Amino acid sequence: MRRASAWIALALSSALLAVGCGGGGSSSGGFVVSGSLEVQALHHVDSDTNDPQSQVFRNNDLTNAQEVRVPAIIGGFVASPLTDSRFGSAGDPDDVFVAEFNAGDQALLEFPDPARADLDLYLIDDTGMVVDASIGIDGFERVVAPEAGRYYVRVSAYSGQSAYHLRLDSSQMLDPAHAASLRLADDFVPDEIIVRSADEIRPFALGKSPADMGLQRVSGAPGREQLWRIPGGHAEAVISSLGLHTPSISPAVAWRTPEQAARYETLRVIKALRGQPDIVSASPNYHMTPMLTPNDPDWHLQWFHEAINLPQAWDITTGEAPDEEVVVAVVDTGVYREHEDLDEDRLFPTQRFVCDPEDSTCDEERSWHGTHVTGIIGAATDNSLGVAGVSWGVDILPVWTLNGTGTLNDTLQGIRYAAGLPNDSGTKPSPRADIINLSLGGGGYSAEADELLQEVRELGILVVASSGNDGTSTVGYPAAYESVLAAGATDRNADRAWYSNYGPRLDLVAPGGVMIHSEDGILSTWVNDTGETLASDYAFLQGTSMSTAVVSGVLALGRAVNPELSPGLLLELLESGALTKDLGPTGWDPETGWGEIDAYQAVQAFAERTDTGELAPRISVTPQVLNFGFTGTSLDLRLRNGGDGSLQIEDIATPATWLTVEPYDVTEDGLGLYRSYGQRDALSPGDYESRLRITADNGDQRDIPVGIRVAERDPQRDTVGRVYVLLLDRDDRVVAQTALEPEYGTYRYRFEGVPAGDYRVVAGTNIAGNDRICAGAEACGAWPQHGARETFRVDRDRTGLDFGIAWRPFTDGGFPL
């Protein structure tokens, strides 16, 4: 049993002592074992953890918020009322921290066992208004500062109790599972939910069906996405019927608008539904927006044609007969079919999923974005009018899902229609699309969208989407889904456009324009809309919408010369460098992906690969880069066979001593999910870069860039709180232990009277209060380095056994106190 004192009597020797620091020589009949623990930079600890031996300084609301900094990693503990903690029946439901954020800085909450606890995360401005909230159920929550300022970050125990890690950092890589948090700041439709359910839904809590609770199924069917609606004012009744309680919101905290409160209630219903056994997935109905920045109509040369060597590509194919017919679906705002430079014979009938033809207000809100995108891909060419499309012979399938803006549900139905899958229109095109262009984006991760786009990919359909126009290091959705080609934008100088999103999920870039002058944009078909009359026109626009359309047009040329062009072959050729001009560092880079599309190179490569046999087995890696930043400790890496046949992973190696990779969910062939760990213990402050080399049995290799940042220590602020140091024998039995508080950022330990023998030293926290160190979310360290414990021989005094301690990736096991 753990003692509160700084020494402990042990079975091996009643004279064996453990002291915090200082002291003279060894006790009679034994030796001294001593050293120090250095806390990693940027580490903080919650001021009211569940360690019964630590001091308590409450930080439960805005008035007593705990001051921290950005970047930082904080270890903490919260407990909902009526749980078993040192805080009694009232629990410790909230921890509140306050810090200065820059625009785009994130707070990321992780906790080890979401089956036993449910923690939520809130971002509150200095006036007490909720800015963002994240209330998922999967052990990860994320909020983002929209602008620079002073913010409060509140960790709340919705149910259960748990230790946690809270990371405050400028940007963090997120895999799709982490991106699935339910965020208030995401743009979605209040009171609407996209659901995938079992074919039959058993009654929920209290024996009620969804209809009994007032949930209305607006569209869709079991087996695919369904749109459910919460009648106005019924959210609380639905939540209550599902057996969930209402979390307390401090009187000092308020919603900015009634709509924000309604959006929060919608997220709470989704949170409740995600916990039901017959609900496969549930997501907000995100708003989708075109990815462009418009300017006044003008006429000038289409400079981007030369930039991607399009005229040379036309010497091989223009996309017209006798080459294969290709259909590109433009899922967008529809198209102005009467435009002088669009060939009516190459336009399929427009399928609407938004805007009832009988609704007169629909045309009043009309956007001509889809007309511009359509012209880039396939405007009539060599007709002495207007502009030239990238492909002269492509057929366009207009799918109307946006009207200025739109919703994820309408977009998913449009994708289903384009792919020839069951959809809410009850109809299918003939033929279905070969390529789907998504010059749009918005919202967060949706399991329903991810699954649908994977199904579309398996049909052999190529899907291209805009990386986003926020200028951030995170590719937006739907481009960020693994089955989608993510297209960023470049300017006239082949530099990344300032607005173009970039990051680990970026595949390639294409001209999108930066309109310092109007002619620096992308010229295409437009409409002169006076409000009373419509007439053909042309306009320069900029955005990843435009670059996406350029890529779709080039792929249409490629499909014309190679009807067997599949998503797998496309990825193989892209990663080989056959389709692009490399703009940045050799190979893939986060700013420009695999480079800027080169139409001539691409058409040549597609034409040369006209074989219809199996693709060679090849390693496919997601993400393309690993970046731990200042506070990241673990990142996931997924390996797949991007070709056909069998593939065996033979080796995963790196020269970096600070990087390790372990299998997490891997099959016998070595494919699957790996977890990488960044170890800062032995690193001096600075930025470090290395590569991870993955090798398969057929000789295929992939090099993944890896980066980690190490900050300068601040001894006055860096701490993990109260630490327990254990002296273990070679069988990991506890021989002695001591409890320490930091002295200017360092913990000094000393064991006296240690008998001769072989020993190990480990140290850790007990913030969860379960009397185990180095388990769950506890800080941990070991001599000489965490993850590389060594046994040392005691046959004399052993001093200077120094090592680091830090908040580590979650683990089971640990050591009892």
Side-chain angles (χ1 to χ4, degrees):
M1 185 173 73
R2 179 172 49 78
R3 306 296 184 189
S5 60
W7 62 272
I8 185 168
L10 297 157
L12 289 182
S13 171
S14 60
L16 182 56
L17 299 178
V19 296
C21 61
S26 62
S27 299
S28 175
F31 301 95
V32 171
V33 174
S34 66
S36 63
L37 284 64
E38 190 173 85
V39 181
Q40 275 189 17
L42 308 178
H43 278 47
H44 295 272
V45 67
D46 168 25
S47 60
D48 58 352
T49 72
N50 201 38
D51 183 346
Q53 303 303 320
S54 65
Q55 290 184 293
V56 171
F57 300 95
R58 301 314 294 265
N59 60 355
N60 292 34
D61 54 45
L62 274 57
T63 61
N64 57 14
Q66 183 177 341
E67 190 89 27
V68 292
R69 54 185 164 166
V70 180
I73 179 169
I74 306 161
F77 173 86
V78 286
S80 63
L82 304 179
T83 53
D84 184 15
S85 72
R86 69 187 292 196
F87 302 99
S89 61
D92 177 28
D94 299 299
D95 286 337
V96 181
F97 305 93
V98 62
E100 295 289 337
F101 284 70
N102 291 321
D105 283 351
Q106 304 180 61
L108 302 106
L109 173 69
E110 295 177 279
F111 49 99
D113 191 354
R116 301 184 62 178
D118 184 2
L119 310 188
D120 293 334
L121 187 64
Y122 297 84
L123 186 70
I124 302 162
D125 67 17
D126 59 1
T127 68
M129 295 288 182
V130 175
V131 174
D132 198 0
S134 181
I135 61 170
I137 62 171
D138 299 318
F140 181 92
E141 307 296 344
R142 167 180 173 257
V143 294
V144 182
E147 56 190 15
R150 187 172 175 83
Y151 291 93
Y152 298 91
V153 179
R154 190 177 82 178
V155 180
S156 293
Y158 185 81
S159 64
Q161 62 177 5
S162 180
Y164 62 82
H165 292 167
L166 178 67
R167 287 184 287 138
L168 311 179
D169 212 336
S170 55
S171 64
Q172 290 289 326
M173 294 177 57
L174 300 176
D175 59 24
H178 282 173
S181 57
L182 294 171
R183 286 188 55 214
L184 183 67
D186 285 337
D187 189 12
F188 60 89
V189 183
D191 298 327
E192 291 189 357
I193 305 168
I194 299 176
V195 174
R196 286 184 72 98
S197 68
D199 290 342
E200 293 187 11
I201 302 177
R202 289 165 292 182
F204 293 154
L206 306 178
K208 292 186 176 181
S209 68
D212 293 336
M213 295 185 292
L215 289 170
Q216 302 169 347
R217 190 174 78 189
V218 179
S219 63
R224 62 180 179 90
E225 309 82 29
Q226 305 164 55
L227 181 63
W228 288 8
R229 183 167 293 146
I230 310 164
H234 282 66
E236 193 58 53
V238 172
I239 294 166
S240 177
S241 296
L242 290 169
L244 297 184
H245 68 277
T246 300
S248 61
I249 299 294
S250 166
V253 175
W255 303 111
R256 287 186 166 183
T257 63
E259 182 188 12
Q260 188 187 43
R263 287 152 52 82
Y264 178 70
E265 293 303 302
T266 303
L267 293 183
R268 290 180 60 218
V269 173
I270 296 172
K271 179 188 183 85
L273 288 173
R274 285 184 175 182
Q276 302 303 312
D278 293 331
I279 300 299
V280 178
S281 60
S283 298
N285 189 16
Y286 294 112
H287 280 121
M288 309 300 287
T289 58
M291 292 296 172
L292 74 118
T293 304
N295 207 319
D296 294 332
D298 202 352
W299 163 255
H300 211 281
L301 296 175
Q302 290 176 282
W303 57 266
F304 66 95
H305 286 183
E306 291 287 347
I308 64 170
N309 293 321
L310 185 57
Q312 294 92 322
W314 285 337
D315 289 338
I316 301 173
T317 181
T318 60
E320 296 178 300
D323 289 330
E324 194 74 17
E325 180 183 5
V326 179
V327 178
V328 175
V330 178
V331 180
D332 213 293
T333 63
V335 63
Y336 179 54
R337 307 182 66 88
E338 288 75 34
H339 197 287
E340 65 182 12
D341 210 12
L342 296 178
D343 186 347
E344 176 70 21
D345 292 337
R346 293 194 290 113
L347 290 176
F348 281 71
T350 300
Q351 178 61 52
R352 292 176 179 242
F353 289 93
V354 67
C355 286
D356 187 327
E358 304 299 322
D359 184 355
S360 61
T361 64
C362 194
D363 287 334
E364 295 172 9
E365 301 169 355
R366 186 77 182 270
S367 163
W368 304 109
H369 177 268
T371 300
H372 196 274
V373 168
T374 297
I376 294 171
I377 298 170
T381 305
D382 201 25
N383 64 344
S384 302
L385 281 175
V387 294
V390 173
S391 174
W392 300 13
V394 67
D395 292 329
I396 301 294
L397 175 61
V399 185
W400 192 352
T401 66
L402 305 177
N403 203 48
T405 62
T407 68
L408 176 60
N409 184 67
D410 289 336
T411 299
L412 296 184
Q413 297 311 310
I415 293 170
R416 282 185 160 277
Y417 173 80
L421 295 170
N423 62 86
D424 287 349
S425 75
T427 63
K428 298 178 184 179
S430 181
R432 71 186 184 197
D434 300 294
I435 300 163
I436 298 177
N437 185 93
L438 301 175
S439 289
L440 49 77
Y445 174 84
S446 163
E448 299 81 14
D450 197 354
E451 184 174 333
L452 172 59
L453 288 164
Q454 181 60 39
E455 183 179 357
V456 171
R457 184 185 191 278
E458 291 170 357
L459 293 173
I461 298 172
L462 310 178
V463 182
V464 191
S466 305
S467 70
N469 286 355
D470 303 315
T472 67
S473 60
T474 303
V475 172
Y477 291 101
Y481 294 116
E482 192 169 351
S483 49
V484 176
L485 195 69
T490 51
D491 62 14
R492 291 188 77 137
N493 300 317
D495 294 324
R496 180 179 67 85
W498 61 266
Y499 54 78
S500 180
N501 288 21
Y502 56 99
R505 276 294 300 122
L506 183 67
D507 289 305
L508 78 172
V509 291
V514 172
M515 295 174 65
I516 299 173
H517 306 288
S518 62
E519 61 269 22
D520 294 328
I522 303 298
L523 182 67
S524 184
T525 47
W526 195 246
V527 177
N528 182 3
D529 186 350
T530 67
E532 295 182 357
T533 61
L534 304 176
S536 299
D537 209 338
Y538 303 88
F540 287 99
L541 302 180
Q542 68 178 26
T544 52
S545 278
M546 287 65 251
S547 60
T548 300
V550 171
V551 173
S552 291
V554 173
L555 294 184
L557 292 177
R559 198 76 179 246
V561 296
N562 184 354
E564 302 303 320
L565 177 56
S566 65
L569 177 58
L570 173 61
L571 189 59
E572 177 184 320
L573 293 173
L574 177 66
E575 294 184 356
S576 73
L579 309 183
T580 56
K581 293 176 288 188
D582 204 350
L583 300 182
T586 302
W588 184 92
D589 69 84
E591 292 272 330
T592 60
W594 292 101
E596 185 179 61
I597 191 75
D598 185 304
Y600 181 53
Q601 280 185 221
V603 170
Q604 280 186 311
F606 294 142
E608 291 170 0
R609 289 294 302 271
T610 55
D611 58 280
T612 59
E614 289 190 344
L615 299 175
R618 50 182 294 279
I619 304 169
S620 175
V621 185
T622 306
Q624 302 282 354
V625 63
L626 298 174
N627 186 356
F628 291 94
F630 276 119
T631 65
T633 55
S634 68
L635 294 169
D636 288 347
L637 187 73
R638 187 175 295 278
L639 306 185
R640 289 187 172 91
N641 182 355
D644 299 312
S646 62
L647 185 75
Q648 179 74 44
I649 300 298
E650 287 194 337
D651 188 42
I652 300 177
T654 177
T657 57
W658 47 265
L659 177 66
T660 57
V661 179
E662 298 178 0
Y664 185 76
D665 184 11
V666 176
T667 54
E668 291 182 358
D669 54 13
L671 300 175
L673 186 65
Y674 289 80
R675 189 147 289 169
S676 61
Y677 299 96
Q679 182 84 280
R680 295 180 178 84
D681 294 51
L683 298 180
S684 301
D687 293 350
Y688 297 82
E689 295 181 351
S690 187
R691 284 186 176 267
L692 192 67
R693 172 158 291 182
I694 305 163
T695 306
D697 59 347
N698 63 352
D700 190 30
Q701 287 187 335
R702 289 291 181 273
D703 283 346
I704 306 301
V706 187
I708 194 168
R709 308 186 74 183
V710 182
E712 292 275 359
R713 293 185 66 243
D714 183 348
Q716 291 184 319
R717 303 180 71 176
D718 294 329
T719 181
V720 293
R722 190 175 182 85
V723 163
Y724 300 87
V725 184
L726 307 186
L727 183 66
L728 308 174
D729 66 17
R730 63 183 308 125
D731 296 319
D732 282 345
R733 291 188 295 255
V734 178
V735 174
Q737 71 180 48
T738 183
L740 305 173
E741 298 290 344
E743 299 175 8
Y744 199 62
T746 300
Y747 300 84
R748 295 179 174 84
Y749 70 92
R750 181 182 177 93
F751 297 104
E752 298 181 354
V754 179
D758 295 330
Y759 296 92
R760 298 185 178 97
V761 176
V762 297
T765 57
N766 184 35
I767 60 174
N770 58 8
D771 290 346
R772 296 190 74 84
I773 69 168
C774 295
E778 303 294 345
C780 188
W783 184 87
Q785 183 176 311
H786 179 73
R789 288 189 300 135
E790 293 183 9
T791 299
F792 56 88
R793 181 72 180 172
V794 174
D795 53 11
R796 64 190 186 282
D797 288 351
R798 298 299 303 263
T799 60
L801 300 180
D802 305 337
F803 55 94
I805 187 167
W807 304 115
R808 308 291 185 184
F810 303 148
T811 59
D812 297 325
F815 305 93
L817 294 177

